[in-house]
Amino acid sequence: MKAEIKPRINLDDRTPLQDVIPLATPFVLFVDPSSACNFQCTFCPTGDRGLIGRTGRYQGSLDFDLYRKIIDELPLFPDTIKVLRLYKDGEPFLNRNLVKMVAYARQSGNVPYIDTTTNGTLLDPKTVGPLIEAGLDKINISVDGMNDAQYLNFTKYPFNFRKFVDNVKWLYEHKGNLEVVIKIPKELITEAQQKEFYETFGDYCDRIFIENFAPCWPDFDVEARTGITISQGIYQQPLSNTDVCPYIFYGMSVNAGGEVSACFLDWQRKLIIGDAKKQTLAEIWNSREFNRLRIDHLEGRRREMTVCSHCGQLTHCLPDNIDAYRQELLARLQGQG
């Protein structure tokens, strides 16, 4: 097998957050190409279209002019962001301008690294070839079964698995410098299919991994919806508790409708801290609203918050842990104001 068995998250050589907070520039910027998805997966809020409809959330693609504004304004930060993540709530390939988005960011000189995540339904030479040429650095491909029947049961989508495998092979053969990462939830397949997964994809990607489901979305009970009891972290690690969310100190998210969320898990739009249509991201990053949220976490109030208190990301998904540095970091943030 050519691929390395390794999680999609980069755990090597991570910057100790306690050494750099407060950051003048975010490390990671999520920009969502599409808030809609063609799958209806039981473990994901976006898959429940009735639920999403009741939130009033915009369902559609990010306007390209707004995207261009976002990229053009990145030099207003004193430093360069590390990663532009073209993914959040939906399927990025549903945005017909995805290739233009990658190309524009790459040509801007403001973005050193671009990645995305896809369910693979629209992954064919006509769509992914131009993405490679545009300069995409990494693509995470989510596999949701090992045959058509499993896909239909889990995603409610008529998936052609054999064609998908052929498209992944084509991608790997033509990928150039693009890193290809493939993962599957362990709960969706049998033990025998775990071996089949490695045999099918192991020679056609750079990293491969069998993950666990994670109850990461606030106010969305993954265990109840899937009927699966979750006892390990997403990367098969032991569960651990974290008081302070590290993500709000190094990243933020632009939703497909232009609102900016403090958190990439804000599927309900309850953690809105600004509007990219009316403000620059630099203004939002340094806003009173965002800093107030950070200070609340450092002062130990996360578990009292309506949204953040129910976040499984901090127990199941290997976050950086800055709990031991709360008082020191609090003094730094308060000293800024």
Side-chain angles (χ1 to χ4, degrees), residues 56 98 109 116 156 165 175 184 246 279:
L98 184 60
T116 192
K156 310 299 185 292
V165 173
K175 72 185 186 71
I184 193 170
Q279 302 163 275

Side-chain angles (χ1 to χ4, degrees), residues 223-238:
E223 290 185 322
R225 287 173 174 267
T226 62
I228 294 168
T229 300
I230 301 171
S231 58
Q232 286 184 310
I234 189 171
Y235 304 119
Q236 302 171 20
Q237 81 278 12

Side-chain angles (χ1 to χ4, degrees), residues 37-48 119 144 151 153-156 188 213 220 225-226:
C37 187
N38 50 357
F39 278 7
Q40 299 180 63
C41 303
T42 54
F43 78 96
C44 174
T46 300
D48 188 332
N119 61 28
D144 293 306
Y151 262 88
N153 179 59
F154 184 68
T155 72
K156 310 299 185 292
L188 293 183
F213 279 146
F220 187 86
R225 287 173 174 267
T226 62

